[in-house]
């Protein structure tokens, strides 16, 4: 079964060429490439005085790169796609434990779990990519599985393993603590035990928190070479200072009104039916409604941040899939087979169609752009694009000069290079080209081209025009039918 899931994930990693999230490269393989090979772009999260990221997640790719380098197998193609293959191997573990977890929670039909898991477009789009949110989801699923095992069997080894997985997860991504700051206190309150038993649970929770703090600060400080805590830095940046709003502001109900329907599409119907079935069963039986409590609390906590993204919902996917499967089983129970078939058909068609659409018309030019630059033996590349929209050294695997417009968070948007580029592309490009010798290659969006820019590029030949995406929003106006143009200096 594992080999089957791994093969499917690999296909989903290699065939689709879309790069929808910058973090897929810039918070994983790019950092690992810098650690192992000595060159790679470190984004502002890593270089600021109070770094926001720790080494846990990208160390997986650092280890892979180190092994490849020692075996002299660090070919650019292997360096480029190796991390995705490794991610697929980890994601296949998630597929196995998702089935185990939902079976423990009472889902009888395993085919429903597989069907939903492999037709949710957002799952297909993320679990074969090197997103830290995906890694967070996998560790949460493994931890929750062990936690449910502990609740059902009272085996301390499951409790211990769960807590170790949570510690690693929080060290990798700080927000993964959110569900557990509800789950463990909820267990303390609802556990069927005496006062002594509750005190023991309280002590274990305290030890877990203390161990998390000590290990987190130790690993962060060793990696960054100074006393620091990415957990605190992350909290201070995103909540206390409110700087997360730099990347967009959404209303408080965004995850409920837009996020959840968007990541499920047609499956949201069965999801709602499953929630109804779960609540109805819990009210009229002794079954605790803990899963829905976990989900509600997590969404409420995520909603406190001004900035929201669909991928922040990924850790809830085990619970979301549970409710979808529960909805299907509920329809079986009340013998609405025709309704169930319609729901499944609608869900599968909407999700698969949207997955194909997103991987055909949106963010599809970045990987090809870097492949062409590598094939053309580029020696210096200047990107006139929005920042972080292509892979970098971890994909081209060549120590050459590459630069792009800076977009580090600031209180003054007009000081951003990406803003200046879109405000007056000719002026910005002229300033950059005058600062040093002409780069061997220039990468620029088609909508930034005008007569003045063309004059500035009179010493260049356009060698490629690659379709990139149907739509994007910029600081000044939305753009459609975006192409990435590659220019090469006259020989």
């Amino acid at each position: 079964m594992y080999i089957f899931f791994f093969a499917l994930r690999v296909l989903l990693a290699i065939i689709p060429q879309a790069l929808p999230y910058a973090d897929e490269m810039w918070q994983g393989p790019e950092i690992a490439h810098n650690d192992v090979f000595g060159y790679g772009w470190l984004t502002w999260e890593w270089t600021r005085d109070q770094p926001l990221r720790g080494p846990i997640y990208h160390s997986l790719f650092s280890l892979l790169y180190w092994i490849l380098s020692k075996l002299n197998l660090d070919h650019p193609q292997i360096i480029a796609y190796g991390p995705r293959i490794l991610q697929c191997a980890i994601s296949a573990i998630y597929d196995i434990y998702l089935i185990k977890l939902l079976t423990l929670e009472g889902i009888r039909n395993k085919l429903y779990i597989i069907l939903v898991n492999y037709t949710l477009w957002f799952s297909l789009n993320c679990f074969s990519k090197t997103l830290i949110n995906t890694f967070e989801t996998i560790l949460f699923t493994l931890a929750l599985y062990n936690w449910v095992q502990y609740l059902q069997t009272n085996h301390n080894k499951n409790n211990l393993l769960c807590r170790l997985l949570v510690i690693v997860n929080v060290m990798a991504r700080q927000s993964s603590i959110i569900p557990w700051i509800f789950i463990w206190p909820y267990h303390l309150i609802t556990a069927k035990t005496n006062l002594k038993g509750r005190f023991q649970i309280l002590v274990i929770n305290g030890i877990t928190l203390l161990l998390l703090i000590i290990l987190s600060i130790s690993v962060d400080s060793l990696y960054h070479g100074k006393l620091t805590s990415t957990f605190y830095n992350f909290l201070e940046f995103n909540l206390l200072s409110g700087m997360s709003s730099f990347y967009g502001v959404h209303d408080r109900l965004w995850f409920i009104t837009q996020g959840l329907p968007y990541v499920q599409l047609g499956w949201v119907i069965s999801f709602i039916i499953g929630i109804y079935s779960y609540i109805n069963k819990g009210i009229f039986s002794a079954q605790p409604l803990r899963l829905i409590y976990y989900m509600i609390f997590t969404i409420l906590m995520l909603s406190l941040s001004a900035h929201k993204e669909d991928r922040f919902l990924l850790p809830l996917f085990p619970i979301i899939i549970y409710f979808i499967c529960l909805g299907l089983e509920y329809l079986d129970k009340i013998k609405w087979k025709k309704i169930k078939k319609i729901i499944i058909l609608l869900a599968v068609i909407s999700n698969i169609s949207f997955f194909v659409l997103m991987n055909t018309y949106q963010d599809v030019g970045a990987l090809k752009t870097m492949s062409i630059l590598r094939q053309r033996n580029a020696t210096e590349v200047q990107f006139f694009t929005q920042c972080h929209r292509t892979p970098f050294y971890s994909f081209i695997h060549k120590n050459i000069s590459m630069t792009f417009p800076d977009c580090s968070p600031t209180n003054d948007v007009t000081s951003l290079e990406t803003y200046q580029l879109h405000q007056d592309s000719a002026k910005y490009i002229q300033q950059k080209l005058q600062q040093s010798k002409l780069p061997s290659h220039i990468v620029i969006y088609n909508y930034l081209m005008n007569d003045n820019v063309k004059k500035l590029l009179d010493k260049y030949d356009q060698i490629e025009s690659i379709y990139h995406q149907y739509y994007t929003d910029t600081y000044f106006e939305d753009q459609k039918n975006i192409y990435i143009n590659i220019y090469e200096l006259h020989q």
Side-chain angles (χ1 to χ4, degrees):
M1 185 66 77
Y2 174 83
I3 299 299
F4 172 75
F5 289 139
F6 174 64
L8 283 178
R9 292 296 181 191
V10 169
L11 288 175
L12 292 170
I14 295 176
I15 296 176
Q17 291 295 296
L19 189 73
Y21 301 108
D23 278 4
E24 178 187 348
M25 295 293 177
W26 294 86
Q27 300 301 338
E30 191 66 20
I31 310 302
H33 195 278
N34 183 75
D35 284 354
V36 175
F37 298 106
Y39 61 98
W41 194 285
L42 301 182
T43 58
W44 62 271
E45 295 102 324
W46 300 87
T47 58
R48 68 196 302 264
D49 290 337
Q50 295 82 35
L52 303 184
R53 309 288 186 181
I56 296 297
Y57 178 54
H58 80 259
S59 293
L60 295 171
F61 309 123
S62 296
L63 178 60
L64 173 65
Y65 285 158
W66 182 81
I67 293 173
L68 291 173
S69 67
K70 293 302 179 182
L71 297 176
N72 293 320
L73 294 175
D74 55 325
H75 185 276
Q77 286 290 95
I78 300 177
I79 293 296
Y81 288 99
R84 278 193 174 186
I85 304 303
L86 177 58
Q87 181 65 60
C88 291
I90 302 171
S91 294
I93 298 174
Y94 161 81
D95 295 332
I96 296 293
Y97 275 87
L98 177 68
I99 296 173
K100 290 184 176 182
L101 170 62
L102 301 197
T103 301
L104 275 180
E105 286 291 348
I107 300 298
R108 296 182 178 85
N109 194 330
K110 294 181 181 180
L111 291 179
Y112 283 161
I113 303 174
I114 298 172
L115 172 67
V116 175
N117 188 33
Y118 272 92
T119 56
L120 270 169
W121 82 270
F122 203 70
S123 176
L124 297 177
N125 219 34
C126 293
F127 276 89
S128 295
K129 293 180 170 63
T130 53
L131 285 169
I132 194 170
N133 309 87
T134 302
F135 184 68
E136 176 188 5
T137 305
I138 294 167
L139 288 186
F140 175 69
T141 303
L142 294 174
L144 190 59
Y145 166 77
N146 279 281
W147 182 249
V148 175
Q149 278 276 37
Y150 167 68
L151 293 179
Q152 294 184 2
T153 64
N154 205 33
H155 289 162
N156 287 326
K157 66 175 183 179
N158 293 114
N159 188 13
L160 175 62
L161 187 53
C162 167
R163 293 173 186 275
L164 290 176
L165 287 166
V166 172
I167 289 173
V168 174
N169 205 4
V170 176
M171 290 170 64
R173 181 166 173 80
Q174 299 85 350
S175 60
S176 62
I177 190 66
I178 290 175
W180 300 100
I181 60 178
F182 177 87
I183 291 174
W184 287 332
Y186 178 77
H187 174 246
L188 174 65
I189 296 170
T190 60
K192 296 179 180 179
T193 184
N194 54 26
L195 186 60
K196 180 182 178 180
R198 295 189 194 284
F199 179 74
Q200 290 176 341
I201 294 173
L202 184 63
V203 170
I204 293 172
N205 289 345
I207 293 173
T208 303
L209 180 60
L210 181 61
L211 188 60
L212 168 60
I213 294 172
I214 293 173
L215 288 176
S216 178
I217 293 176
S218 299
V219 171
D220 290 340
S221 299
L222 284 172
Y223 179 77
H224 290 287
K226 57 184 177 182
L227 183 63
T228 189
S229 169
T230 59
F231 186 91
Y232 173 77
N233 299 339
F234 184 88
L235 178 67
E236 190 276 333
F237 180 86
N238 285 283
L239 290 180
L240 301 182
S241 69
M243 283 297 291
S244 65
S245 60
F246 175 81
Y247 293 102
V249 177
H250 304 83
D251 64 76
R252 294 296 185 189
L253 296 177
W254 187 89
F255 283 117
I256 297 173
T257 60
Q258 298 179 55
L260 283 172
Y262 177 68
V263 300
Q264 298 181 75
L265 297 182
W267 281 120
V268 75
I269 301 172
S270 184
F271 172 76
I272 294 172
I273 295 172
I275 289 179
Y276 166 78
S277 172
Y278 188 77
I279 294 176
N280 187 56
K281 184 179 179 181
I283 290 175
F284 296 103
S285 72
Q287 175 185 339
L289 299 175
R290 49 188 172 78
L291 285 183
I292 201 165
Y293 294 156
Y294 299 169
M295 183 175 69
I296 291 173
F297 179 82
T298 302
I299 291 175
L300 287 175
M301 292 296 291
L302 290 174
S303 299
L304 293 178
S305 175
H307 178 62
K308 302 171 180 66
E309 292 186 39
D310 45 24
R311 61 194 175 103
F312 296 169
L313 289 171
L314 271 174
L316 288 175
F317 263 52
I319 298 176
I320 290 171
I321 293 173
Y322 169 79
F323 285 126
I324 293 174
C325 294
L326 194 65
L328 294 176
E329 291 194 342
Y330 179 77
L331 292 175
D332 285 336
K333 182 179 179 181
I334 63 176
K335 299 180 179 179
W336 283 14
K337 292 185 179 180
K338 289 184 179 180
I339 299 296
K340 184 191 73 174
K341 289 180 181 179
I342 293 173
I343 291 174
I344 291 176
L345 187 63
L346 174 64
V348 171
I349 291 176
S350 63
N351 276 269
I352 298 301
S353 298
F354 197 69
F355 172 73
V356 173
L357 182 69
M358 292 296 286
N359 283 277
T360 305
Y361 293 103
Q362 199 70 7
D363 304 300
V364 295
L367 300 186
K368 186 176 181 181
T369 296
M370 299 308 291
S371 295
I372 291 172
L373 291 173
R374 187 174 62 227
Q375 294 165 10
R376 302 290 295 195
N377 294 316
T379 56
E380 184 175 350
V381 185
Q382 177 70 59
F383 289 83
F384 296 117
T385 61
Q386 293 178 340
C387 61
H388 304 119
R389 294 305 170 94
T390 66
F392 233 52
Y393 293 102
S394 59
F395 201 89
I396 201 167
H397 194 48
K398 185 185 294 185
N399 192 7
I400 62 175
S401 174
M402 295 193 291
T403 56
F404 57 87
D406 181 54
C407 62
S408 302
T410 175
N411 292 322
D412 180 14
V413 175
T414 61
S415 67
L416 294 177
E417 291 189 0
T418 47
Y419 181 92
Q420 296 166 6
L421 172 64
H422 285 81
Q423 182 183 44
D424 189 340
S425 58
K427 180 181 178 181
Y428 178 84
I429 291 171
Q430 184 178 31
Q431 290 174 347
K432 287 296 179 180
L433 294 182
Q434 288 176 345
Q435 290 177 2
S436 61
K437 69 175 184 177
L438 293 177
S440 65
H441 292 80
I442 286 175
V443 178
I444 184 171
Y445 288 142
N446 63 318
Y447 65 82
L448 293 173
M449 297 295 297
N450 54 46
D451 291 339
N452 291 330
V453 172
K454 290 178 181 178
K455 290 179 182 178
L456 292 171
L457 302 184
D458 61 349
K459 294 183 179 181
Y460 289 84
D461 297 317
Q462 181 177 318
I463 60 173
E464 289 286 349
S465 183
I466 304 165
Y467 176 80
H468 182 52
Q469 58 190 159
Y470 173 71
Y471 165 86
T472 189
D473 56 342
T474 71
Y475 293 101
F476 300 100
E477 61 180 335
D478 296 342
Q479 300 290 338
K480 293 183 179 180
N481 295 318
I482 297 98
Y483 284 76
I484 298 176
N485 295 338
I486 304 178
Y487 287 82
E488 188 173 74
L489 189 65
H490 295 326
Q491 296 297 323

